[in-house]
Amino acid sequence: MEVHHFSHEHPLILDRVDDSGETCNACSRPIFDQGLACSSCGFLLHEKCAMLPRELSHHLHPQHPLTLVFDPSQDSESLKCSVCGRTHPGFLYRCNECKYNIDVNCFSKNQMLIPDVSAEKETRKLQHFSHNHPLRLSYLANQSARNCYFCRLPVSGPAYCCTECRDFTLHKSCSQLPQCFTEHPFHPSHTLRFLHQSPYPALCDACRKPIVGLEYHCNICKFDLDLTCLSISSSLRHKIHSHPLYYFEDTKLDISCASCKKKCRESVYRCVPCNYNVHSTCLQFPKTVKHKHHQHTLTLMDSVIKEDSVLCFCESCKKRISQKQRIYYCAECKYGVHLECVAAEDYPDPGRLLEEIINSQAEAEVLVNKLKQEVNSLSEKLQAVAGRQSSISDLQSKLQDTLKARA
């Protein structure tokens, strides 16, 4: 049985929790038995926290009703409890009229019991090739001090955590990277394999920056690729070159632009296998275009980040827009998209298609596991029914024997 809770976009199921005491996203206290968990992103609630009433009256603020809210992205002042004065990223009872908050730890009354929910055995565990211990999918708050073992960036939201090592954490997206790439666009001739550490002081062959720690490596030709360049997925098709071009914000390469012949290390589009390089500004594009996802004409601009600090992500692919990157932009709506996202309407992007395939495979795996669990549950029920039918048959035989004996 699934529970659809207001605080989370995905359905929650009752799940066993390890004795390590994972943290409830409502009250920030550990869960030692079982809780309501999201099998997609690891969001976790105590049973009693999940059943808190949405609206009630409380003796600490009797003049207005309080509403249960959950928005950890708000500023710290908005998340401050009016009772204890502490900032709390979890559930709060709030009076919007008075700006009065009570966090769920100070709110010790009016807690209700959860209804009987049948437990399903969806697993949130992962045995990842990069680590010896099993990992558990968890939902980390924005204030988490953990960094991802793969990309080294801070972790918030869904992540896989090791309950034994404590500090080993992977973004859910990083955990989906394969152990090897058979045809990576930067090195399609050989397989790239994951390494915890390069066997020699290595430079990334895509950007020529030093590699510290993890990398993907070709043992045949000693090609090395760092995790940042590995994750570049969006490519640009342009008539200037026959292969897809990938955008690099900055490199340590000693290269010249194929168009203007000047040195280029920043804001460059590259074909890594061909070592073809061209400045972003040397590529010819229409000054204005019509984008199928926006009603207004978009204008080509070198950058708008300085003028408009709000714009940080492409409206099409939802990925970051570099301050040095040219984009198509609608000033009226503050709507911006990568050049490659507009070009992708004419040329499908293999990198993005690969990313969509990986995401679809992960979703399909979750669905398959759920169907297997349902089949197993149904099989157990059928066996129980068969057992009862056998008992009924035995009773019927005994009854017939009894009736014959009396006759």
Side-chain angles (χ1 to χ4, degrees):
M1 177 179 174
E2 294 180 340
V3 176
H4 295 271
H5 199 268
F6 80 92
S7 64
H8 195 61
E9 59 184 325
H10 305 137
L12 308 177
I13 62 166
L14 197 61
D15 189 21
R16 288 283 173 186
V17 177
D18 288 341
D19 292 338
S20 56
E22 294 184 79
T23 303
C24 171
N25 287 100
C27 65
S28 300
R29 291 182 174 180
I31 302 174
F32 291 106
D33 184 15
Q34 61 183 14
L36 286 169
C38 174
S39 60
S40 298
C41 63
F43 186 87
L44 198 60
L45 296 177
H46 282 112
E47 296 178 76
K48 61 181 182 180
C49 290
M51 289 308 297
L52 289 170
R54 289 298 307 277
E55 187 174 289
L56 50 78
S57 297
H58 198 274
H59 68 276
L60 292 178
H61 190 74
Q63 55 269 47
H64 300 120
L66 302 177
T67 303
L68 188 64
V69 296
F70 177 66
D71 188 2
S73 63
Q74 290 187 348
D75 59 88
S76 58
E77 192 63 31
S78 300
L79 298 175
K80 184 179 291 186
C81 176
S82 303
V83 178
C84 65
R86 297 175 182 172
T87 299
H88 184 72
F91 286 6
L92 293 169
Y93 276 105
R94 174 173 296 164
C95 173
N96 288 320
E97 187 173 344
C98 302
K99 308 300 181 186
Y100 184 91
N101 294 328
I102 305 177
D103 69 39
V104 291
N105 294 319
C106 292
F107 175 76
S108 58
K109 299 181 179 180
N110 300 321
Q111 289 191 355
M112 301 172 63
L113 296 175
I114 194 168
D116 184 25
V117 180
S118 59
E120 298 182 30
K121 299 299 182 180
E122 284 198 53
T123 179
R124 294 183 293 119
K125 288 185 178 181
L126 171 69
Q127 186 62 60
H128 197 265
F129 62 82
S130 65
H131 196 62
N132 294 330
H133 306 139
L135 308 179
R136 168 76 74 165
L137 184 62
S138 302
Y139 194 93
L140 302 183
N142 293 335
Q143 290 82 3
S144 168
R146 298 191 183 210
N147 289 333
C148 176
Y149 178 72
F150 262 39
C151 67
R152 310 299 185 187
L153 295 176
V155 177
S156 63
Y160 281 98
C161 307
C162 178
T163 57
E164 295 188 41
C165 300
R166 294 295 182 184
D167 59 344
F168 187 92
T169 308
L170 291 178
H171 287 111
K172 185 181 179 185
S173 55
C174 289
S175 74
Q176 295 169 351
L177 289 172
Q179 192 166 3
C180 61
F181 281 92
T182 54
E183 292 185 0
H184 193 277
F186 291 173
H187 192 69
S189 53
H190 304 125
T191 298
L192 296 177
R193 300 186 184 279
F194 172 83
L195 292 180
H196 287 275
Q197 185 75 40
S198 173
Y200 48 80
L203 299 176
C204 174
D205 285 291
C207 67
R208 301 306 292 172
K209 294 179 181 178
I211 296 177
V212 180
L214 311 180
E215 67 154 314
Y216 280 81
H217 173 75
C218 172
N219 198 43
I220 298 174
C221 54
K222 310 305 181 187
F223 182 93
D224 300 284
L225 195 61
D226 64 27
L227 271 294
T228 301
C229 293
L230 178 86
S231 303
I232 299 174
S233 57
S234 298
S235 63
L236 173 70
R237 289 280 189 175
H238 196 280
K239 61 184 179 181
I240 198 171
H241 189 65
S242 57
H243 301 148
L245 301 173
Y246 293 82
Y247 180 79
F248 289 77
E249 185 174 349
D250 61 273
T251 72
K252 298 295 184 182
L253 292 159
D254 185 16
I255 53 177
S256 299
C257 174
S259 178
C260 69
K261 309 304 179 185
K262 295 179 181 179
K263 295 291 183 181
C264 58
R265 287 192 171 186
E266 297 182 346
S267 194
V268 56
Y269 279 94
R270 279 177 48 72
C271 173
V272 176
C274 299
N275 196 24
Y276 183 91
N277 311 285
V278 60
H279 287 118
S280 170
T281 50
C282 289
L283 291 173
Q284 297 297 315
F285 290 97
K287 295 296 183 183
T288 59
V289 295
K290 288 294 294 181
H291 184 45
K292 66 180 181 181
H293 297 303
H294 193 66
Q295 67 270 32
H296 302 140
T297 299
L298 303 182
T299 303
L300 182 65
M301 301 187 70
D302 287 342
S303 177
V304 295
I305 304 298
K306 293 179 182 178
E307 303 171 10
D308 179 14
S309 59
V310 175
L311 182 67
C312 298
F313 295 91
C314 172
E315 296 289 347
S316 178
C317 68
K318 309 303 179 185
K319 295 183 179 179
R320 189 176 70 90
I321 295 177
S322 164
Q323 185 174 341
K324 304 171 184 177
Q325 203 165 4
R326 299 172 83 194
I327 64 169
Y328 278 110
Y329 185 65
C330 172
E332 180 181 349
C333 303
K334 300 189 185 303
Y335 180 99
V337 290
H338 293 118
L339 302 181
E340 45 266 45
C341 289
V342 175
E345 296 177 6
D346 299 319
Y347 300 97
D349 180 1
R352 192 176 301 168
L353 290 175
L354 176 61
E355 185 177 353
E356 290 177 0
I357 290 171
I358 292 173
N359 291 337
S360 297
Q361 287 175 336
E363 292 174 359
E365 185 177 349
V366 171
L367 181 58
V368 167
N369 288 335
K370 185 174 181 179
L371 289 173
K372 286 181 179 178
Q373 292 156 12
E374 291 177 354
V375 168
N376 291 337
S377 176
L378 182 59
S379 177
E380 291 174 0
K381 291 177 180 178
L382 288 174
Q383 289 177 1
V385 170
R388 290 180 182 178
Q389 287 179 335
S390 178
S391 299
I392 291 171
S393 298
D394 291 341
L395 291 173
Q396 286 176 337
S397 297
K398 290 180 180 179
L399 178 61
Q400 289 175 355
D401 293 341
T402 303
L403 292 176
K404 287 180 180 178
R406 289 182 179 180

